[in-house]
Amino acid sequence: MVKLDTKIVAFHKVTSAHYNLLLTADPSKEIVDSYLDRAYKFELINCGKLLGVILLIDTRPKTVEIVNIAVDESVQNQGLGEKLLHFALNWAKEQHYSTVEIGTGSTSFAQLYLYQKCGFRVTNIDRNFFVDNYPEPIIENKLVLKDMIRLKKSII
């Protein structure tokens, strides 16, 4: 179990440890690189150890999208992903955004549960998103990942 002295702070220099986490949520380095420079980047630290990351980008006026969220496998299922999501929602509200969006794979059952538990609602499906944008098939929960589920939450 993770000690309770975790903190979430902004970071600017992306290390190999950050990349390792980011690539667990999005296996394409090219796609990660496409949003990395323009993202608001935050890391979850516990006793000096990187345990999680969350990246957000501006998409439309008053709207920010969580484009990557990842928690180290060794500490998953301990509420840290939820902590990162709540941090992002609070940060977005403080920055005067009105909507937070997130997308995930249609086979990402745990993530879909978490996002809905945190108040996100499904808005649409990008059919064949992963087939069209990734060179290799992604297998998740013994299924070929094809579609992106888009969710959003109003924070005003």
Side-chain angles (χ1 to χ4, degrees), residues 12-137:
H12 303 287
K13 184 179 187 313
V14 180
T15 67
S16 60
H18 291 111
Y19 258 113
N20 289 341
L21 275 176
L22 294 166
L23 292 172
T24 65
D26 187 335
S28 170
K29 185 175 185 306
E30 293 77 25
I31 292 177
V32 170
D33 286 342
S34 76
Y35 55 70
L36 200 52
D37 286 342
R38 59 192 171 110
Y40 303 104
K41 299 178 268 302
F42 301 95
E43 59 187 5
L44 176 72
I45 303 290
N46 183 46
C47 299
K49 183 178 181 202
L50 178 65
L51 297 183
V53 293
I54 190 164
L55 304 182
L56 302 93
I57 61 169
D58 293 309
T59 55
R60 289 183 299 289
K62 298 198 176 245
T63 301
V64 67
E65 180 179 354
I66 299 168
V67 291
N68 198 306
I69 178 171
V71 173
D72 187 275
E73 188 177 335
S74 69
V75 291
Q76 287 181 359
N77 300 310
Q78 296 184 32
L80 298 178
E82 187 171 354
K83 182 175 183 152
L84 283 165
L85 279 175
H86 286 298
F87 170 85
L89 292 169
N90 289 331
W91 177 87
K93 192 170 193 173
E94 289 169 3
Q95 302 302 313
H96 307 290
Y97 289 97
S98 59
T99 304
V100 177
E101 297 177 329
I102 194 165
T104 194
S106 58
T107 58
S108 303
F109 307 131
Q111 292 88 335
L112 281 167
Y113 171 77
L114 174 61
Y115 303 154
Q116 291 176 88
K117 179 181 169 187
C118 291
F120 286 84
R121 301 285 309 271
V122 173
T123 56
N124 66 312
I125 300 170
D126 286 348
R127 293 196 173 286
N128 291 319
F129 178 89
F130 294 98
V131 173
D132 294 342
N133 292 290
Y134 290 78
E136 301 291 326

